[in-house]
Amino acid sequence: MAKKTKKFKTEVQQLLDLVIHSLYSKKEIYLRELVSNSSDAMDRRKFEALTDPSLIADDPEYKIKITPDKEAKTIVISDTGIGMNADEVEANIGTIASSGTKSFMASMAESEGGGDAEMIGQFGVGFYASFMVADKVSVLTKRAGEGQTAIRWVSEGAGDYTLEEAEKDEPGTEVTLHLRDGMDEFLEEWEIRKTVKSYSDYISYPVVMDIERSEPAEEEGGEPTVTIEEETLNSMKALWKRPKSEITDEDYTKFYQHIAKDFTDPLKTIHYVAEGATEFRALMFIPSQAPMDLFMRDTVKSLQLFVRGVFITDDCKELIPDYLRFVKGVVESSDLPLNVSREMLQDDHIISVIRKSVVSKVLGTLKDLKEQNAADYQTFYTHFGAVLKEGAHIDFENAEKLQNLLLFHTSKTDGETPISMQDYVDRMVDGQTDIYFMAADSLAAAKSSPHLEALAGKDYEVLFMVDPIDEWVIQSMPQFAEKPLVAADRGDLELDTDEEKEEKAEEREASAKEYKDLLEHIKEALKDDVKEVKLSNRLTESACCLVADPMGMNANMERIMKAMNQETLANKRILELNPSHPVLTKMKELFDANKDDELLGDYIRLLHGQALLTEGSAVKDPLGFTRLVSNLMTRA
């Protein structure tokens, strides 16, 4: 066969420009594509040898070899696959987007038992990723079988190529890339290792390279010993493809530490195969401690996605929700169609099916852990509870499952062992119909809040919401187990039964009448600071507290919004006063004697400042407040 120069069979120049400049976002992808092609070629040789044993008469050693040459600025990727004859070269390489793999899969699907094989290249353009780093590419290939002739294909990516017969002893393919200027980094051992490890670590064939090592001379002044050994760069151990019965805990731990870049043991391992309309494998791990980047959403990575053994991405937002970003592991599917660059998914339905299964499996595992090993679940929740609460706020589909996983400290716990919402409901006292909660910025602040006094008197337990995210969680959880959630520091707190209300009706009516004028006076004095002043039915020991409207912003939420540099509207709260407290009795005496008494004005300002401090807010005038306290102490 004489040397021939031919034009590509499509509008190649425009398509090559697309491949080189737009199709792939990372230049190192070229090596993934070529390694994938080689893997396909060896799969194909094995398959065809089932009916034609002559294809493996020479008992080939199946491997993919990478040979960089820094002096020549070339890199060679060779394999012992099926190879190609002249017609196949022209059909598969000479015609862009006419993939031999895709044609082979179509024919294989028609053959008996052939539908299970998995091939990687399906678009016929992966090979042309070579031109991202090379200005000239040559392919030397020889098809396996008797009487085959080697063929050399050469192109500079300029719209034509040459085709000629060549010499090659063994079947297989060698792709030689003549690198462009500025692409020398792709010849470095570390770069090749990194790329193979990142994208082709689980290819089922060894990816090898000759590694040169220099050892110091044994005698002083002697020449160092230089050795060259062929080294395998990939692990070939796709652990998730092996039966669980063959995998030890040590195997799982090592794999987790490898993919998670973590030195600790995983808390829980999830390994399963999903079968049905959509099939995939998943090997996932729940860590035992939170990584430092857990809340750095732009950098944290979760599950790695593989398609037919080839790494696609570790940043697939559609694969797992953000609130489960602590889960590490691998998902591999053979059903996922990709776009031409293999860097983006193009079937939302399949990925959504996988996502639903993954979320269900993780939440189910956490449920089992919570019910069967409370200590381990407490460990998990200490590190990841705040992240899990994000899901309780945004994932309405799994809201009930997530709510059952949440834990909270309460007014009756020791501060170390939080309880679940169901535990709270099971511990409700006779006559209690609502679930009560208190939002604060710390457990200490929640425990000391005056808003809890009447609830404590009823022996009602109160959930403490002390994570900033709790304020959002509670908005999406108006009830649990058909019991309303009621804020201890918001709106009217009605705790008495109808009988108790009737018994106290006269007393409350008398108090309201007795303090009516004083309350109006206090409201006028504090008109710039409070919305309303009224008698409290939640205070039994403290003199006063500030309460938010039922739909208003409480003090804790206001602090959170300010910390986030979010502007908030003027938010006046309600000042509640304890009619049985001696302070109010004293103020009533002063008001009755002289409502313009300066001391009464001081008491009013002190009372409001006290209410601000007990809710965790700052007083408006700290210096003035301390002077009032000092004056009061002097008078005493």
Side-chain angles (χ1 to χ4, degrees), residues 287 289-295 300 325-326 328 384:
Q289 65 180 32
M292 295 181 64
D293 63 354
L294 182 63
F295 293 97
V300 67
R325 60 186 177 274
F326 55 83
K328 304 298 181 183
F384 303 108

Side-chain angles (χ1 to χ4, degrees), residues 211-280:
I211 304 298
E212 182 179 303
R213 293 287 181 261
S214 179
E215 297 181 3
E218 296 181 0
E219 299 180 0
E220 186 176 350
E223 293 292 328
T225 303
V226 177
T227 59
I228 297 178
E229 293 184 5
E230 188 176 88
E231 186 175 322
T232 301
L233 307 182
N234 61 325
S235 68
M236 297 179 287
K237 296 179 180 178
L239 202 66
W240 60 90
K241 291 185 177 182
R242 292 166 53 189
K244 288 190 285 186
S245 59
E246 298 179 2
I247 307 173
T248 65
D249 290 342
E250 184 180 1
D251 292 332
Y252 281 130
T253 297
K254 287 182 178 179
F255 185 75
Y256 163 74
Q257 292 174 343
H258 166 65
I259 63 169
K261 306 297 187 291
D262 188 8
F263 61 89
T264 63
D265 293 351
L267 183 66
K268 200 70 178 173
T269 300
I270 306 170
H271 187 185
Y272 74 108
V273 178
E275 298 178 339
T278 299
E279 297 184 359
F280 66 93

Side-chain angles (χ1 to χ4, degrees), residues 28-46:
E28 65 267 24
I29 292 296
Y30 86 91
L31 189 56
R32 179 191 74 180
E33 296 299 318
L34 295 179
V35 169
S36 297
N37 289 345
S38 293
S39 175
D40 288 348
M42 288 185 285
D43 282 341
R44 185 170 176 176
R45 184 173 183 179
K46 283 185 175 181

